[in-house]
Amino acid sequence: MRDHDLRPSPISATVDFSANGVQHGFLRLPYSRDDSAWGSVMIPLTVVKNGEGPTALLTGGNHGDEYEGPIALFDLARRLKAEDVSGRVIIVPAMNYPAFLAGTRTSPIDRGNMNRSFPGAPDGTVTPKIADYFQRTLLPLADIVLDFHSGGKTLDFLPFCAAHILPDKTQEAKAFDLVKAFGAPWSMKMLEIDAVGMYDTAAEEMGKIFITTELGGGGTATAKSAGIAKAGVANVLKAAGILKGAVEAARTTWLDMPDGNCFSFAEDGGLIEPLFDLGDQVRNGDVMARIYPVARTGAEALEIRAKMDGVLAARHFPGLVKPGDCVGVLAAVVTA
Ligand SMILES: [Zn+2]
């Protein structure tokens, strides 16, 4: 058993996860550094518990430059009352808090990408220490897990809630029921480029009902995308029986990422001209974007061609691309 081989986490919670009521506190992670010899990283969290019932673990800021999750969760944390809840809600609006404060995808302390750091390590640097605490303390408390993402500074997405195709079909069906309840304009059967080290995978391998989102991007939020996040989390808590009231069923279009052909990557750097916008229908072979070499004039542009029919679900956000950047993601519309 891995757990018995590891030392205890250095993180301590200032809240009691088993106590009834509303508690606003911190995960305190000792972090000795030049400007604070015995200092700590203080990750804000809220626990709301009322009697017996399921536990929802709600997280944003897994990547520090994605804002819909933190907006929805800081908002929920200040409003949720114990009497509203049956069971328990654990809210961590900014999981990789150092990255969130810096406005960067990864941590400025150790460059750690939270979503590639699982299962983490109690004796690692700051990011794997946070991952380890989620792996060994918070995830085991949870029945359902909602982890908010958006595109960050370098990608922009159609607003969707998503779950993964899983070997356990009962677990998979429960996750897609929650995706439907979330009620984003789009709902995705999501394929990962590389699932190793992901929080998603850690939760799913523990048998948790895990859903995630991509709700926009570009390193900001909009009124619309923040509204989708706030309505979505309320709907998920209602569907789980933790909040009272009916799920406000919104119309959603289901999308599928059938295989690796959905991803397009740049092989050269340069200036990107998008030829389709998010939500546009693209046909196999269509030129989705051009990349102009910028060292000189007169050079031919590189064409990025679609490898399947689908809806443009994600695109590179900045105007310049580098070799290896993901420039577009297509998804197939699921009918019936
Ligand atoms: Zn993310």
Side-chain angles (χ1 to χ4, degrees), residues 154-314:
T154 65
L155 291 172
D156 194 14
F157 282 87
L158 281 181
F160 64 78
C161 185
H164 298 105
I165 302 297
L166 297 174
D168 180 335
K169 293 301 164 189
T170 306
Q171 184 186 8
E172 177 190 296
K174 286 180 180 172
F176 281 115
D177 283 348
L178 283 188
V179 171
K180 187 179 175 194
F182 187 100
W186 305 82
S187 298
M188 182 72 85
K189 298 182 178 188
M190 198 163 185
L191 178 72
E192 299 295 343
I193 294 176
D194 176 11
V196 174
M198 290 182 72
Y199 180 50
D200 314 42
T201 311
E204 287 161 355
E205 285 179 350
M206 251 181 248
K208 309 303 180 183
I209 308 306
F210 180 91
I211 63 170
T212 186
T213 68
E214 298 288 359
L215 294 177
T220 189
T222 64
K224 196 172 178 181
S225 65
I228 293 167
K230 289 163 70 170
V233 69
N235 277 332
V236 165
L237 292 175
K238 287 174 186 168
I242 295 172
L243 285 184
K244 291 179 196 68
V247 172
E248 287 167 32
R251 206 182 67 82
T252 192
T253 302
W254 284 86
L255 297 172
D256 185 19
M257 295 162 68
D259 57 48
N261 282 332
C262 61
F263 300 106
S264 292
F265 297 94
E267 295 185 358
D268 289 315
L271 168 69
I272 188 161
E273 177 192 2
L275 298 176
F276 292 90
D277 291 320
L278 292 179
D280 285 350
Q281 286 282 345
V282 181
R283 292 199 172 281
N284 193 356
D286 281 351
V287 179
M288 297 165 61
R290 294 190 190 101
I291 299 174
Y292 295 91
V294 293
R296 65 177 66 243
T297 54
E300 281 303 314
L302 177 79
E303 293 179 338
I304 304 285
R305 287 186 184 272
K307 293 169 283 183
M308 58 178 270
D309 293 346
V311 165
L312 188 66

Side-chain angles (χ1 to χ4, degrees), residues 113-143:
N113 179 341
M114 182 61 70
N115 224 22
R116 300 293 181 277
S117 297
F118 279 80
D123 51 2
T125 54
V126 165
T127 307
K129 278 175 175 162
I130 298 170
D132 170 71
Y133 188 83
F134 274 81
Q135 175 84 28
R136 290 195 292 158
T137 302
L138 294 183
L139 280 176
L141 297 176
D143 299 291

Side-chain angles (χ1 to χ4, degrees), residues 40-89:
S40 308
V41 174
M42 302 289 277
I43 303 168
L45 92 165
T46 292
V47 183
V48 182
K49 184 172 184 293
N50 185 19
E52 298 307 307
T55 292
L57 175 58
L58 311 174
T59 48
N62 179 323
H63 294 127
D65 59 350
E66 304 173 3
Y67 295 102
E68 285 79 1
I71 291 169
L73 296 180
F74 274 111
D75 179 61
L76 182 68
R78 77 187 167 98
R79 289 191 294 109
L80 200 56
K81 297 181 179 69
E83 60 264 32
D84 298 337
V85 167
S86 300
R88 180 169 52 183
V89 183

